[in-house]
Amino acid sequence: MIPLIACDDIWKIYRIGDVEVQALRGLSVTIEQGEFVAIMGASGSGKSTLMNILGCLDQPTKGQYQLGGVEVGRLQPDQLAEIRNQKIGFVFQSFNLIARTSALENAQLPLFYRGLSLKKQRALASAALERVGLSGREHHTPTQLSGGQQQRVAIARALVTSPSLLLADEPTGNLDTQSSHEIMTILEGLNRDGITIILVTHEVDIAAHAAREIVIKDGQILSDRATQGRSQ
Ligand SMILES: Nc1ncnc2c1ncn2[C@@H]1O[C@H](COP(=O)(O)OP(=O)(O)OP(=O)(O)O)[C@@H](O)[C@H]1O
Ligand SMILES: [Mg+2]
């Protein structure tokens, strides 16, 4: 079977004036559909850079990245956007919700861009909110929700288009322990339903929710192993 993700000798080099930063240095990794992977590593090791490339938000300077057998490096910006919209959901540390806008409307947004009818948008967004345990909070705005609840809205928004890949860059970074574990329980459930999840975290006990842990150091893979926490 074709792996969902196949990175071969990926380099990402940022140049700012005369300064060159090699954020990724010849990184190769394969991730199959249905995996739950945690990415760890020190600040500045290249985790977010890798996530941005995996999510087609950015392209490698050198090397090949195939997503579902398609060479991403050869795609035009509009084709990249199409892949992002069809296949990938994103969750970030800072939730990135729209202020003064209800949970339901936040979750609807990706569907609005797809041009679905308002009725269909509401039905799907409401189901996604239910999925993350937020029934009854549809009309709350971000300031009327706790941090954990705001992150659940962000997950609902990422889910509403039924992506096959969910990328989460430190989704529990701003949350207390209890909310963090609630978020991880939701991600585990989504993964059991077949969504591939790649999660960046600094915390060992958060990474233990994943089945595989990859440690990055200086833009290269330092270790790649099955975790003890959960067997699949
Ligand atoms: N847009 C950019 N322009 C220039 N340099 C960048 C850019 N983005 C990242 N870098 C540099 O690339 C390296 C890797 O950054 P990256 O954000 O991927 O690290 P990270 O592992 O996600 O760190 P953190 O744990 O702090 O989020 C760093 O040295 C950073 O300064
Ligand atoms: Mg980062």
Side-chain angles (χ1 to χ4, degrees):
M1 218 171 81
I2 301 170
L4 179 65
I5 283 169
C7 290
D8 184 24
D9 196 23
I10 296 278
W11 289 74
K12 182 70 190 183
I13 300 168
Y14 294 110
R15 283 195 186 84
I16 296 182
D18 292 340
V19 181
E20 185 183 281
V21 177
Q22 297 182 337
L24 296 175
R25 300 188 302 134
L27 186 146
S28 300
V29 69
T30 301
I31 295 173
E32 307 291 340
Q33 178 74 52
E35 284 200 72
F36 190 167
V37 181
I39 297 181
M40 301 194 77
S43 181
S45 55
K47 304 179 300 293
S48 294
T49 302
L50 177 62
M51 293 290 269
N52 290 343
I53 290 174
L54 296 181
C56 301
L57 291 167
D58 201 356
Q59 291 189 299
T61 312
K62 276 190 279 182
Q64 312 248 298
Y65 169 32
Q66 294 199 339
L67 177 62
V70 175
E71 177 55 49
V72 169
R74 295 213 192 91
L75 298 179
Q76 299 302 313
D78 58 331
Q79 294 174 305
L80 278 177
E82 174 82 8
I83 290 200
R84 271 201 309 274
N85 295 338
Q86 298 294 332
K87 291 199 171 175
I88 305 173
F90 294 93
V91 178
F92 301 97
Q93 179 171 359
S94 52
F95 321 142
N96 295 356
L97 299 177
I98 301 176
R100 293 184 291 279
T101 303
S102 72
L104 189 67
E105 286 165 325
N106 268 284
Q108 271 173 238
L109 200 62
L111 301 174
F112 168 78
Y113 288 123
R114 282 195 175 183
L116 263 66
S117 74
L118 198 56
K119 196 174 162 200
K120 188 99 196 178
Q121 287 178 37
R122 286 207 181 116
L124 289 171
S126 172
L129 288 171
E130 189 179 340
R131 182 71 210 272
V132 298
L134 283 183
S135 294
R137 295 286 192 282
E138 289 88 347
H139 302 292
H140 285 55
T141 59
T143 53
Q144 296 168 339
L145 296 167
S146 71
Q149 289 171 333
Q150 290 180 57
Q151 191 60 299
R152 285 193 265 158
V153 175
I155 294 173
R157 181 184 55 190
L159 278 184
V160 80
T161 53
S162 306
S164 50
L165 174 61
L166 184 70
L167 296 173
D169 196 345
E170 299 194 48
T172 63
N174 284 343
L175 302 179
D176 59 76
T177 310
Q178 159 98 27
S179 307
S180 296
H181 284 282
E182 282 167 16
I183 293 296
M184 294 312 296
T185 304
I186 290 170
L187 296 186
E188 282 178 2
L190 296 174
N191 178 246
R192 268 196 299 276
D193 288 350
I195 300 183
T196 308
I197 300 182
I198 306 177
L199 157 110
V200 169
T201 181
H202 283 284
E203 293 163 74
V204 176
D205 54 338
I206 294 295
H209 288 267
R212 175 178 173 190
E213 182 194 282
I214 295 175
V215 179
I216 298 187
K217 187 180 180 202
D218 299 334
Q220 294 179 326
I221 293 183
L222 182 68
S223 66
D224 183 349
R225 63 178 185 94
T227 59
Q228 321 263 300
R230 219 173 129 232
S231 55
Q232 287 199 326

